[in-house]
Amino acid sequence: MRSLLIIITTVVLGVAVNAQDAGVHARHLNLEKGLAIQGYDPVSYFQGKAAKGSKEHTVNHQGTIYYFVSAANAGAFKREPAKYEPQYGGWCAYAMGAKGEKVSVDPKTYKITGGKLYLFYNRFFNNTLEDWNEDEKGLQGKADINWQKINTPNK
């Protein structure tokens, strides 16, 4: 009986810790009702064109839902999620570097640099990708620092 109690306690605590980790992971991400990148397939960016995924090919990664255009793309993401997840939680890379702010993005405005996906705000004649390209190295360094400050477990 004691062994059964230990096993049940271990399972319950494991589920609680995993749920907490998922909540921490998703807390600062740019999500819409738990959905990342407004439903765009993160793997598709690396294939040359941002494409809207579908509910048919869904992956829940640490409490964040991603849609994919195919089972193959969903499988690629499952194998290496860190490779495909957008930088800075899916917030505008330019705004993160320039001001340390979380600004929404146009999921069709993106850049892949160093094997990483960066998303940008692009509305009302303001395409921040153009500004990013003027000082990519400087803005990226600042964005990395700002994102680290925002994305600490205690915030």
Side-chain angles (χ1 to χ4, degrees), residues 41-94:
D41 175 343
V43 176
S44 71
Y45 292 94
F46 293 85
Q47 296 168 336
K49 186 177 180 191
K52 198 91 159 150
S54 72
K55 287 182 181 181
E56 184 180 335
H57 305 290
T58 299
V59 172
N60 184 328
H61 174 66
Q62 296 182 329
T64 302
I65 297 175
Y66 290 90
Y67 288 170
F68 299 89
V69 297
S70 67
N73 281 13
F77 182 85
K78 285 180 189 177
R79 286 188 295 280
E80 295 182 88
K83 176 179 178 180
Y84 298 108
E85 284 187 299
Q87 299 303 292
Y88 316 125
W91 299 105
C92 175
Y94 173 79

Side-chain angles (χ1 to χ4, degrees), residues 1-146:
M1 182 69 175
R2 183 171 182 205
S3 295
L4 181 59
L5 183 59
I6 290 171
I7 290 171
I8 291 171
T9 302
T10 303
V11 168
V12 168
L13 288 174
V15 168
V17 167
N18 284 339
Q20 185 177 17
D21 288 346
V24 169
H25 178 76
R27 182 181 332 166
H28 294 293
L29 302 183
N30 185 3
L31 305 177
E32 193 171 297
K33 296 181 183 175
L35 181 62
I37 320 175
Q38 299 172 30
Y40 278 75
D41 175 343
V43 176
S44 71
Y45 292 94
F46 293 85
Q47 296 168 336
K49 186 177 180 191
K52 198 91 159 150
S54 72
K55 287 182 181 181
E56 184 180 335
H57 305 290
T58 299
V59 172
N60 184 328
H61 174 66
Q62 296 182 329
T64 302
I65 297 175
Y66 290 90
Y67 288 170
F68 299 89
V69 297
S70 67
N73 281 13
F77 182 85
K78 285 180 189 177
R79 286 188 295 280
E80 295 182 88
K83 176 179 178 180
Y84 298 108
E85 284 187 299
Q87 299 303 292
Y88 316 125
W91 299 105
C92 175
Y94 173 79
M96 189 60 62
K99 298 181 181 177
E101 295 178 349
K102 295 178 182 177
V103 172
S104 64
V105 298
D106 173 353
K108 294 178 273 182
T109 306
Y110 71 97
K111 183 173 188 175
I112 296 175
T113 300
K116 301 289 183 182
L117 173 61
Y118 298 89
L119 300 172
F120 299 90
Y121 177 88
N122 184 5
R123 291 184 190 97
F124 308 113
F125 309 105
N126 184 12
N127 183 347
T128 61
L129 174 56
E130 294 170 359
D131 299 323
W132 175 267
N133 286 334
E134 289 178 17
D135 183 22
E136 183 171 9
K137 217 173 222 183
L139 287 165
Q140 185 177 3
K142 291 175 187 173
D144 290 345
I145 292 167
N146 290 335

